[in-house]
Amino acid sequence: MIEAHSAQRKNALFFGFILLLISTSLPNEAMAQETVTTQQAEALITPLYAALAASSPDNVATLLTSVTSPQWESCGGNETCLPRDAVIASVTKRVSAFPELKFAPREVLVSGNRIVVRGENWGTPSGAFLGISSRGKSFRIMTIDIHSVENGKIVKSYHVEDWLRATRQLSE
């Protein structure tokens, strides 16, 4: 019980720190006039994560284009961003090869025009994944995403996934 409380406290402190960084370090132009409500955030992230965890490639483009602007970029690093069409192609390819990947938001925080999502990805690859041959093993990792919203659409997403942990779990 004490360990669970400690983990919850660490998560709360971590997310407080993330929100502090977001609110104090963004350039002036990033501090948009738009304020996203919790309901708007939910309406935007639900289809986005449904696309990322789709079991079929058929709806990926429809789901992603419904909540992202045509100029949307998805960034896996400070300088590593992909435009919407490339993300759609990548997710469609991944869904075809790995239909069992799941995603669940565990915590959603809204600050101005930013949506911060702490989530979980998990799955059991049916073939080689991350350079590791499939042996029926599963993985479960934490993800952190920061989405910027303008005019009711997501215009930029930064994401961090703990793929090193996934490789360790699949290799055990």
Side-chain angles (χ1 to χ4, degrees), residues 31-75:
M31 299 299 280
Q33 305 295 335
E34 185 171 359
T35 299
V36 177
T37 67
T38 303
Q39 292 80 11
Q40 289 168 324
E42 193 69 31
L44 287 167
I45 65 168
T46 299
L48 177 74
Y49 293 116
L52 299 178
S55 59
S56 164
D58 298 338
N59 294 328
V60 171
T62 302
L63 289 166
L64 287 177
T65 58
S66 73
V67 294
T68 60
S69 77
Q71 296 78 28
W72 175 57
E73 290 184 309
S74 178
C75 307

mmCIF file of all heavy atoms in Angstrom, residues 31-75:
data_model
loop_
_atom_site.group_PDB
_atom_site.id
_atom_site.type_symbol
_atom_site.label_atom_id
_atom_site.label_comp_id
_atom_site.label_asym_id
_atom_site.label_seq_id
_atom_site.Cartn_x
_atom_site.Cartn_y
_atom_site.Cartn_z
ATOM 1 N N MET A 31 2.071 30.244 -26.938
ATOM 2 C CA MET A 31 1.067 30.495 -25.906
ATOM 3 C C MET A 31 -0.179 31.069 -26.577
ATOM 4 O O MET A 31 -0.493 32.238 -26.481
ATOM 5 C CB MET A 31 1.620 31.458 -24.844
ATOM 6 C CG MET A 31 2.843 30.914 -24.116
ATOM 7 S SD MET A 31 2.531 29.393 -23.234
ATOM 8 C CE MET A 31 1.772 30.057 -21.783
ATOM 9 N N ALA A 32 -0.855 30.218 -27.318
ATOM 10 C CA ALA A 32 -2.003 30.630 -28.116
ATOM 11 C C ALA A 32 -3.125 31.144 -27.231
ATOM 12 O O ALA A 32 -3.226 30.799 -26.059
ATOM 13 C CB ALA A 32 -2.490 29.453 -28.955
ATOM 14 N N GLN A 33 -3.973 31.955 -27.839
ATOM 15 C CA GLN A 33 -5.125 32.511 -27.141
ATOM 16 C C GLN A 33 -6.139 31.413 -26.805
ATOM 17 O O GLN A 33 -6.882 31.526 -25.863
ATOM 18 C CB GLN A 33 -5.791 33.573 -28.014
ATOM 19 C CG GLN A 33 -4.860 34.675 -28.460
ATOM 20 C CD GLN A 33 -4.341 35.513 -27.319
ATOM 21 O OE1 GLN A 33 -4.965 35.619 -26.275
ATOM 22 N NE2 GLN A 33 -3.174 36.099 -27.501
ATOM 23 N N GLU A 34 -6.142 30.372 -27.607
ATOM 24 C CA GLU A 34 -7.111 29.297 -27.458
ATOM 25 C C GLU A 34 -6.882 28.524 -26.160
ATOM 26 O O GLU A 34 -5.763 28.212 -25.796
ATOM 27 C CB GLU A 34 -6.987 28.356 -28.648
ATOM 28 C CG GLU A 34 -8.011 27.263 -28.675
ATOM 29 C CD GLU A 34 -7.982 26.497 -29.997
ATOM 30 O OE1 GLU A 34 -7.184 26.828 -30.883
ATOM 31 O OE2 GLU A 34 -8.765 25.563 -30.115
ATOM 32 N N THR A 35 -7.965 28.225 -25.479
ATOM 33 C CA THR A 35 -7.913 27.386 -24.291
ATOM 34 C C THR A 35 -8.760 26.156 -24.557
ATOM 35 O O THR A 35 -9.915 26.262 -24.955
ATOM 36 C CB THR A 35 -8.458 28.140 -23.056
ATOM 37 O OG1 THR A 35 -7.640 29.286 -22.834
ATOM 38 C CG2 THR A 35 -8.436 27.251 -21.826
ATOM 39 N N VAL A 36 -8.172 25.006 -24.361
ATOM 40 C CA VAL A 36 -8.857 23.745 -24.598
ATOM 41 C C VAL A 36 -9.518 23.305 -23.294
ATOM 42 O O VAL A 36 -8.888 23.309 -22.239
ATOM 43 C CB VAL A 36 -7.852 22.669 -25.079
ATOM 44 C CG1 VAL A 36 -8.534 21.331 -25.260
ATOM 45 C CG2 VAL A 36 -7.175 23.117 -26.362
ATOM 46 N N THR A 37 -10.779 22.914 -23.376
ATOM 47 C CA THR A 37 -11.469 22.384 -22.201
ATOM 48 C C THR A 37 -11.168 20.897 -22.073
ATOM 49 O O THR A 37 -10.701 20.260 -23.025
ATOM 50 C CB THR A 37 -12.994 22.572 -22.315
ATOM 51 O OG1 THR A 37 -13.479 21.744 -23.379
ATOM 52 C CG2 THR A 37 -13.367 24.031 -22.548
ATOM 53 N N THR A 38 -11.463 20.343 -20.936
ATOM 54 C CA THR A 38 -11.268 18.907 -20.721
ATOM 55 C C THR A 38 -12.117 18.103 -21.703
ATOM 56 O O THR A 38 -11.659 17.101 -22.253
ATOM 57 C CB THR A 38 -11.621 18.538 -19.266
ATOM 58 O OG1 THR A 38 -10.813 19.332 -18.392
ATOM 59 C CG2 THR A 38 -11.380 17.073 -18.987
ATOM 60 N N GLN A 39 -13.345 18.559 -21.969
ATOM 61 C CA GLN A 39 -14.222 17.860 -22.900
ATOM 62 C C GLN A 39 -13.664 17.924 -24.320
ATOM 63 O O GLN A 39 -13.718 16.934 -25.062
ATOM 64 C CB GLN A 39 -15.642 18.459 -22.876
ATOM 65 C CG GLN A 39 -16.384 18.228 -21.580
ATOM 66 C CD GLN A 39 -15.973 19.211 -20.469
ATOM 67 O OE1 GLN A 39 -15.281 20.196 -20.683
ATOM 68 N NE2 GLN A 39 -16.391 18.903 -19.253
ATOM 69 N N GLN A 40 -13.136 19.079 -24.721
ATOM 70 C CA GLN A 40 -12.527 19.199 -26.044
ATOM 71 C C GLN A 40 -11.297 18.304 -26.150
ATOM 72 O O GLN A 40 -11.072 17.665 -27.187
ATOM 73 C CB GLN A 40 -12.147 20.650 -26.332
ATOM 74 C CG GLN A 40 -13.330 21.558 -26.559
ATOM 75 C CD GLN A 40 -12.926 23.021 -26.558
ATOM 76 O OE1 GLN A 40 -12.056 23.452 -25.817
ATOM 77 N NE2 GLN A 40 -13.600 23.803 -27.408
ATOM 78 N N ALA A 41 -10.494 18.265 -25.092
ATOM 79 C CA ALA A 41 -9.301 17.410 -25.086
ATOM 80 C C ALA A 41 -9.700 15.955 -25.286
ATOM 81 O O ALA A 41 -9.105 15.237 -26.096
ATOM 82 C CB ALA A 41 -8.524 17.590 -23.778
ATOM 83 N N GLU A 42 -10.704 15.517 -24.572
ATOM 84 C CA GLU A 42 -11.189 14.134 -24.697
ATOM 85 C C GLU A 42 -11.679 13.847 -26.115
ATOM 86 O O GLU A 42 -11.396 12.794 -26.680
ATOM 87 C CB GLU A 42 -12.316 13.890 -23.681
ATOM 88 C CG GLU A 42 -12.674 12.449 -23.497
ATOM 89 C CD GLU A 42 -11.600 11.638 -22.797
ATOM 90 O OE1 GLU A 42 -10.873 12.180 -21.967
ATOM 91 O OE2 GLU A 42 -11.505 10.439 -23.115
ATOM 92 N N ALA A 43 -12.404 14.805 -26.709
ATOM 93 C CA ALA A 43 -12.919 14.628 -28.070
ATOM 94 C C ALA A 43 -11.792 14.566 -29.101
ATOM 95 O O ALA A 43 -11.934 13.923 -30.138
ATOM 96 C CB ALA A 43 -13.888 15.761 -28.416
ATOM 97 N N LEU A 44 -10.669 15.210 -28.821
ATOM 98 C CA LEU A 44 -9.536 15.177 -29.736
ATOM 99 C C LEU A 44 -8.680 13.922 -29.565
ATOM 100 O O LEU A 44 -8.268 13.306 -30.546
ATOM 101 C CB LEU A 44 -8.657 16.417 -29.547
ATOM 102 C CG LEU A 44 -9.233 17.731 -30.072
ATOM 103 C CD1 LEU A 44 -8.431 18.913 -29.544
ATOM 104 C CD2 LEU A 44 -9.258 17.728 -31.591
ATOM 105 N N ILE A 45 -8.415 13.546 -28.332
ATOM 106 C CA ILE A 45 -7.485 12.427 -28.131
ATOM 107 C C ILE A 45 -8.133 11.060 -28.332
ATOM 108 O O ILE A 45 -7.449 10.113 -28.696
ATOM 109 C CB ILE A 45 -6.770 12.492 -26.767
ATOM 110 C CG1 ILE A 45 -7.745 12.322 -25.612
ATOM 111 C CG2 ILE A 45 -5.956 13.764 -26.646
ATOM 112 C CD1 ILE A 45 -7.067 12.087 -24.273
ATOM 113 N N THR A 46 -9.446 10.949 -28.144
ATOM 114 C CA THR A 46 -10.090 9.646 -28.301
ATOM 115 C C THR A 46 -9.899 9.083 -29.710
ATOM 116 O O THR A 46 -9.415 7.957 -29.870
ATOM 117 C CB THR A 46 -11.571 9.710 -27.894
ATOM 118 O OG1 THR A 46 -11.641 10.082 -26.512
ATOM 119 C CG2 THR A 46 -12.270 8.380 -28.103
ATOM 120 N N PRO A 47 -10.227 9.830 -30.782
ATOM 121 C CA PRO A 47 -9.986 9.290 -32.121
ATOM 122 C C PRO A 47 -8.502 9.138 -32.453
ATOM 123 O O PRO A 47 -8.113 8.205 -33.155
ATOM 124 C CB PRO A 47 -10.637 10.309 -33.072
ATOM 125 C CG PRO A 47 -11.472 11.181 -32.217
ATOM 126 C CD PRO A 47 -10.955 11.096 -30.835
ATOM 127 N N LEU A 48 -7.674 10.040 -31.935
ATOM 128 C CA LEU A 48 -6.232 9.959 -32.193
ATOM 129 C C LEU A 48 -5.675 8.636 -31.686
ATOM 130 O O LEU A 48 -5.018 7.895 -32.424
ATOM 131 C CB LEU A 48 -5.505 11.131 -31.530
ATOM 132 C CG LEU A 48 -3.993 11.126 -31.657
ATOM 133 C CD1 LEU A 48 -3.574 11.507 -33.074
ATOM 134 C CD2 LEU A 48 -3.379 12.089 -30.665
ATOM 135 N N TYR A 49 -5.959 8.296 -30.433
ATOM 136 C CA TYR A 49 -5.427 7.066 -29.868
ATOM 137 C C TYR A 49 -6.156 5.829 -30.388
ATOM 138 O O TYR A 49 -5.580 4.747 -30.423
ATOM 139 C CB TYR A 49 -5.397 7.138 -28.345
ATOM 140 C CG TYR A 49 -4.404 8.177 -27.887
ATOM 141 C CD1 TYR A 49 -4.804 9.303 -27.190
ATOM 142 C CD2 TYR A 49 -3.057 8.050 -28.208
ATOM 143 C CE1 TYR A 49 -3.891 10.274 -26.798
ATOM 144 C CE2 TYR A 49 -2.134 9.010 -27.829
ATOM 145 C CZ TYR A 49 -2.565 10.119 -27.121
ATOM 146 O OH TYR A 49 -1.648 11.067 -26.753
ATOM 147 N N ALA A 50 -7.397 5.990 -30.820
ATOM 148 C CA ALA A 50 -8.089 4.873 -31.477
ATOM 149 C C ALA A 50 -7.364 4.513 -32.768
ATOM 150 O O ALA A 50 -7.219 3.334 -33.107
ATOM 151 C CB ALA A 50 -9.545 5.227 -31.751
ATOM 152 N N ALA A 51 -6.882 5.524 -33.494
ATOM 153 C CA ALA A 51 -6.123 5.269 -34.728
ATOM 154 C C ALA A 51 -4.806 4.580 -34.419
ATOM 155 O O ALA A 51 -4.406 3.642 -35.114
ATOM 156 C CB ALA A 51 -5.868 6.573 -35.479
ATOM 157 N N LEU A 52 -4.118 5.030 -33.376
ATOM 158 C CA LEU A 52 -2.815 4.450 -33.033
ATOM 159 C C LEU A 52 -2.935 3.011 -32.544
ATOM 160 O O LEU A 52 -1.990 2.235 -32.667
ATOM 161 C CB LEU A 52 -2.113 5.304 -31.980
ATOM 162 C CG LEU A 52 -1.798 6.743 -32.397
ATOM 163 C CD1 LEU A 52 -1.150 7.498 -31.240
ATOM 164 C CD2 LEU A 52 -0.929 6.792 -33.638
ATOM 165 N N ALA A 53 -4.096 2.653 -31.997
ATOM 166 C CA ALA A 53 -4.300 1.297 -31.477
ATOM 167 C C ALA A 53 -5.282 0.515 -32.333
ATOM 168 O O ALA A 53 -5.854 -0.476 -31.881
ATOM 169 C CB ALA A 53 -4.799 1.370 -30.034
ATOM 170 N N ALA A 54 -5.465 0.942 -33.571
ATOM 171 C CA ALA A 54 -6.430 0.279 -34.452
ATOM 172 C C ALA A 54 -6.022 -1.162 -34.711
ATOM 173 O O ALA A 54 -4.845 -1.486 -34.791
ATOM 174 C CB ALA A 54 -6.539 1.038 -35.771
ATOM 175 N N SER A 55 -7.003 -2.024 -34.844
ATOM 176 C CA SER A 55 -6.714 -3.421 -35.167
ATOM 177 C C SER A 55 -6.777 -3.658 -36.671
ATOM 178 O O SER A 55 -6.444 -4.734 -37.140
ATOM 179 C CB SER A 55 -7.691 -4.346 -34.442
ATOM 180 O OG SER A 55 -9.007 -4.028 -34.813
ATOM 181 N N SER A 56 -7.217 -2.634 -37.404
ATOM 182 C CA SER A 56 -7.292 -2.713 -38.861
ATOM 183 C C SER A 56 -6.837 -1.377 -39.441
ATOM 184 O O SER A 56 -7.147 -0.321 -38.875
ATOM 185 C CB SER A 56 -8.732 -2.995 -39.281
ATOM 186 O OG SER A 56 -8.907 -2.725 -40.648
ATOM 187 N N PRO A 57 -6.110 -1.388 -40.551
ATOM 188 C CA PRO A 57 -5.630 -0.132 -41.139
ATOM 189 C C PRO A 57 -6.727 0.688 -41.812
ATOM 190 O O PRO A 57 -6.497 1.835 -42.177
ATOM 191 C CB PRO A 57 -4.590 -0.599 -42.161
ATOM 192 C CG PRO A 57 -4.959 -1.991 -42.490
ATOM 193 C CD PRO A 57 -5.610 -2.561 -41.268
ATOM 194 N N ASP A 58 -7.925 0.142 -41.935
ATOM 195 C CA ASP A 58 -8.993 0.785 -42.696
ATOM 196 C C ASP A 58 -9.368 2.183 -42.202
ATOM 197 O O ASP A 58 -9.649 3.055 -43.007
ATOM 198 C CB ASP A 58 -10.245 -0.089 -42.717
ATOM 199 C CG ASP A 58 -9.994 -1.431 -43.391
ATOM 200 O OD1 ASP A 58 -9.027 -1.527 -44.184
ATOM 201 O OD2 ASP A 58 -10.731 -2.381 -43.110
ATOM 202 N N ASN A 59 -9.412 2.400 -40.895
ATOM 203 C CA ASN A 59 -9.894 3.679 -40.359
ATOM 204 C C ASN A 59 -8.791 4.621 -39.897
ATOM 205 O O ASN A 59 -9.091 5.695 -39.391
ATOM 206 C CB ASN A 59 -10.850 3.418 -39.187
ATOM 207 C CG ASN A 59 -12.108 2.725 -39.638
ATOM 208 O OD1 ASN A 59 -12.575 2.931 -40.747
ATOM 209 N ND2 ASN A 59 -12.643 1.879 -38.784
ATOM 210 N N VAL A 60 -7.542 4.246 -40.035
ATOM 211 C CA VAL A 60 -6.446 5.065 -39.515
ATOM 212 C C VAL A 60 -6.485 6.474 -40.085
ATOM 213 O O VAL A 60 -6.483 7.464 -39.340
ATOM 214 C CB VAL A 60 -5.071 4.402 -39.772
ATOM 215 C CG1 VAL A 60 -3.934 5.344 -39.445
ATOM 216 C CG2 VAL A 60 -4.952 3.115 -38.961
ATOM 217 N N ALA A 61 -6.534 6.615 -41.399
ATOM 218 C CA ALA A 61 -6.511 7.945 -42.030
ATOM 219 C C ALA A 61 -7.732 8.763 -41.623
ATOM 220 O O ALA A 61 -7.611 9.951 -41.293
ATOM 221 C CB ALA A 61 -6.432 7.815 -43.548
ATOM 222 N N THR A 62 -8.905 8.142 -41.616
ATOM 223 C CA THR A 62 -10.123 8.863 -41.253
ATOM 224 C C THR A 62 -10.057 9.382 -39.829
ATOM 225 O O THR A 62 -10.384 10.548 -39.559
ATOM 226 C CB THR A 62 -11.358 7.946 -41.421
ATOM 227 O OG1 THR A 62 -11.413 7.501 -42.770
ATOM 228 C CG2 THR A 62 -12.641 8.666 -41.060
ATOM 229 N N LEU A 63 -9.622 8.535 -38.907
ATOM 230 C CA LEU A 63 -9.535 8.945 -37.507
ATOM 231 C C LEU A 63 -8.501 10.060 -37.312
ATOM 232 O O LEU A 63 -8.778 11.057 -36.645
ATOM 233 C CB LEU A 63 -9.191 7.746 -36.620
ATOM 234 C CG LEU A 63 -10.298 6.709 -36.450
ATOM 235 C CD1 LEU A 63 -9.746 5.424 -35.844
ATOM 236 C CD2 LEU A 63 -11.429 7.264 -35.594
ATOM 237 N N LEU A 64 -7.313 9.893 -37.899
ATOM 238 C CA LEU A 64 -6.264 10.897 -37.708
ATOM 239 C C LEU A 64 -6.624 12.231 -38.354
ATOM 240 O O LEU A 64 -6.390 13.290 -37.758
ATOM 241 C CB LEU A 64 -4.922 10.390 -38.217
ATOM 242 C CG LEU A 64 -4.253 9.322 -37.353
ATOM 243 C CD1 LEU A 64 -2.955 8.843 -37.990
ATOM 244 C CD2 LEU A 64 -3.995 9.842 -35.947
ATOM 245 N N THR A 65 -7.182 12.209 -39.548
ATOM 246 C CA THR A 65 -7.516 13.478 -40.204
ATOM 247 C C THR A 65 -8.704 14.175 -39.546
ATOM 248 O O THR A 65 -8.858 15.383 -39.681
ATOM 249 C CB THR A 65 -7.796 13.299 -41.714
ATOM 250 O OG1 THR A 65 -8.855 12.366 -41.891
ATOM 251 C CG2 THR A 65 -6.552 12.843 -42.448
ATOM 252 N N SER A 66 -9.514 13.437 -38.800
ATOM 253 C CA SER A 66 -10.668 14.063 -38.136
ATOM 254 C C SER A 66 -10.262 14.980 -36.988
ATOM 255 O O SER A 66 -11.022 15.877 -36.625
ATOM 256 C CB SER A 66 -11.643 12.994 -37.635
ATOM 257 O OG SER A 66 -11.139 12.320 -36.499
ATOM 258 N N VAL A 67 -9.077 14.780 -36.407
ATOM 259 C CA VAL A 67 -8.683 15.572 -35.232
ATOM 260 C C VAL A 67 -7.367 16.330 -35.405
ATOM 261 O O VAL A 67 -6.969 17.071 -34.512
ATOM 262 C CB VAL A 67 -8.603 14.691 -33.966
ATOM 263 C CG1 VAL A 67 -9.989 14.168 -33.594
ATOM 264 C CG2 VAL A 67 -7.607 13.559 -34.128
ATOM 265 N N THR A 68 -6.695 16.157 -36.545
ATOM 266 C CA THR A 68 -5.429 16.852 -36.769
ATOM 267 C C THR A 68 -5.569 17.820 -37.942
ATOM 268 O O THR A 68 -6.347 17.580 -38.864
ATOM 269 C CB THR A 68 -4.278 15.868 -37.067
ATOM 270 O OG1 THR A 68 -4.597 15.118 -38.244
ATOM 271 C CG2 THR A 68 -4.039 14.930 -35.896
ATOM 272 N N SER A 69 -4.793 18.892 -37.897
ATOM 273 C CA SER A 69 -4.799 19.849 -39.004
ATOM 274 C C SER A 69 -3.965 19.269 -40.147
ATOM 275 O O SER A 69 -3.124 18.393 -39.922
ATOM 276 C CB SER A 69 -4.215 21.186 -38.554
ATOM 277 O OG SER A 69 -2.810 21.104 -38.476
ATOM 278 N N PRO A 70 -4.166 19.762 -41.371
ATOM 279 C CA PRO A 70 -3.342 19.282 -42.489
ATOM 280 C C PRO A 70 -1.844 19.525 -42.257
ATOM 281 O O PRO A 70 -1.014 18.805 -42.792
ATOM 282 C CB PRO A 70 -3.850 20.096 -43.686
ATOM 283 C CG PRO A 70 -5.253 20.457 -43.317
ATOM 284 C CD PRO A 70 -5.226 20.656 -41.822
ATOM 285 N N GLN A 71 -1.503 20.507 -41.432
ATOM 286 C CA GLN A 71 -0.103 20.822 -41.143
ATOM 287 C C GLN A 71 0.432 20.089 -39.912
ATOM 288 O O GLN A 71 1.554 20.331 -39.471
ATOM 289 C CB GLN A 71 0.074 22.341 -40.923
ATOM 290 C CG GLN A 71 -0.232 23.178 -42.139
ATOM 291 C CD GLN A 71 -1.737 23.358 -42.373
ATOM 292 O OE1 GLN A 71 -2.536 23.336 -41.455
ATOM 293 N NE2 GLN A 71 -2.116 23.504 -43.636
ATOM 294 N N TRP A 72 -0.350 19.167 -39.350
ATOM 295 C CA TRP A 72 0.053 18.456 -38.130
ATOM 296 C C TRP A 72 1.396 17.779 -38.309
ATOM 297 O O TRP A 72 1.677 17.176 -39.341
ATOM 298 C CB TRP A 72 -1.001 17.413 -37.774
ATOM 299 C CG TRP A 72 -0.660 16.531 -36.610
ATOM 300 C CD1 TRP A 72 -0.345 16.926 -35.342
ATOM 301 C CD2 TRP A 72 -0.632 15.100 -36.584
ATOM 302 N NE1 TRP A 72 -0.134 15.828 -34.530
ATOM 303 C CE2 TRP A 72 -0.292 14.689 -35.277
ATOM 304 C CE3 TRP A 72 -0.854 14.124 -37.543
ATOM 305 C CZ2 TRP A 72 -0.183 13.371 -34.894
ATOM 306 C CZ3 TRP A 72 -0.747 12.795 -37.163
ATOM 307 C CH2 TRP A 72 -0.418 12.427 -35.855
ATOM 308 N N GLU A 73 2.205 17.893 -37.274
ATOM 309 C CA GLU A 73 3.478 17.176 -37.208
ATOM 310 C C GLU A 73 3.509 16.360 -35.936
ATOM 311 O O GLU A 73 3.079 16.820 -34.890
ATOM 312 C CB GLU A 73 4.653 18.156 -37.191
ATOM 313 C CG GLU A 73 4.879 18.884 -38.484
ATOM 314 C CD GLU A 73 6.120 19.747 -38.409
ATOM 315 O OE1 GLU A 73 6.248 20.538 -37.443
ATOM 316 O OE2 GLU A 73 6.969 19.607 -39.313
ATOM 317 N N SER A 74 4.049 15.168 -36.048
ATOM 318 C CA SER A 74 4.235 14.277 -34.911
ATOM 319 C C SER A 74 5.731 14.122 -34.709
ATOM 320 O O SER A 74 6.442 13.673 -35.606
ATOM 321 C CB SER A 74 3.581 12.924 -35.197
ATOM 322 O OG SER A 74 3.797 12.043 -34.118
ATOM 323 N N CYS A 75 6.198 14.519 -33.522
ATOM 324 C CA CYS A 75 7.634 14.599 -33.262
ATOM 325 C C CYS A 75 8.057 13.581 -32.215
ATOM 326 O O CYS A 75 7.572 13.605 -31.086
ATOM 327 C CB CYS A 75 8.006 15.996 -32.779
ATOM 328 S SG CYS A 75 7.434 17.307 -33.892
#
